[in-house]
Amino acid sequence: MWARFGLPRQIESENGPPFTSQEFQLFLKDNGIEHMFSAPYHPASNSAAENAVRMSKRVIKKALVQVVNIDIALNRFPLVYRNTEHCTTGVSPAKLLQGRSLRTRLDCLKPELGPRVRREQARQARAAGGSRRQFSVGRETAYGTAIIVTRL
């Protein structure tokens, strides 16, 4: 993930052996990553993880009420979450991370932009009129060969 999206400024983990090894600490130091520790066996100290668990439980309960496959609901949820504006930043996580919104099934309802752009460009070319130009190499000047433009 870090190879694709870049090195984080800060990570948070528990005090488990994989995260406290000397090799891992050296890796973090060499890459300028600050390491924060949460209290072991105290999930309330990691609010991001707690929120993720809470939202996942909500998705499961909603799927049960709507008689939807739980696996499908859990697989679709992250896409919707990442495309939804966050109340603190006013921007979706996808927009912050990738600079764009992620494509969803709702995007199938919107017309594609490409055909419209080509249609408008053709309309502008027709409306602009003008005349065609022909370029040819002309006489030598002190600065090099002059290009003569003639209108047809």
Side-chain angles (χ1 to χ4, degrees):
M1 192 162 90
W2 294 356
R4 176 173 284 182
F5 299 113
L7 298 171
R9 289 195 175 112
Q10 183 182 72
I11 63 167
E12 184 175 342
S13 70
E14 59 182 27
N15 287 317
F19 305 114
T20 56
S21 71
Q22 191 173 13
E23 185 178 8
F24 188 64
Q25 294 304 314
L26 181 63
F27 171 82
L28 295 176
K29 182 181 176 196
D30 288 346
N31 289 291
I33 301 170
E34 182 184 0
H35 192 186
M36 307 289 290
F37 292 101
S38 61
Y41 305 108
H42 193 259
S45 63
N46 189 348
S47 60
E50 285 296 304
N51 286 338
V53 169
R54 187 179 320 117
M55 286 188 287
S56 298
K57 286 181 177 179
R58 267 194 236 148
V59 169
I60 291 170
K61 287 177 184 176
K62 185 176 178 181
L64 290 172
V65 168
Q66 295 179 347
V67 192
V68 174
N69 185 323
I70 294 172
D71 291 329
I72 292 173
L74 285 172
N75 285 324
R76 288 183 179 165
F77 172 71
L79 178 64
V80 173
Y81 177 79
R82 292 175 185 137
N83 253 355
T84 304
E85 286 185 6
H86 194 275
C87 62
T88 304
T89 62
V91 182
S92 71
K95 194 85 159 182
L96 287 173
L97 182 64
Q98 297 179 335
R100 64 179 180 87
S101 294
L102 304 176
R103 187 171 180 270
T104 64
R105 293 170 72 181
L106 285 175
D107 292 321
C108 296
L109 299 175
K110 295 189 285 186
E112 285 194 39
L113 200 54
R116 179 180 178 200
V117 169
R118 286 190 289 279
R119 193 172 49 249
E120 286 299 313
Q121 287 175 338
R123 184 189 62 76
Q124 290 171 4
R126 285 190 307 271
S131 58
R132 300 189 74 199
R133 298 180 195 155
Q134 179 179 356
F135 297 94
S136 59
V137 177
R139 57 181 152 48
E140 290 286 326
T141 66
Y143 303 109
T145 304
I147 296 176
I148 300 170
V149 179
T150 55
R151 294 191 184 262
L152 299 176

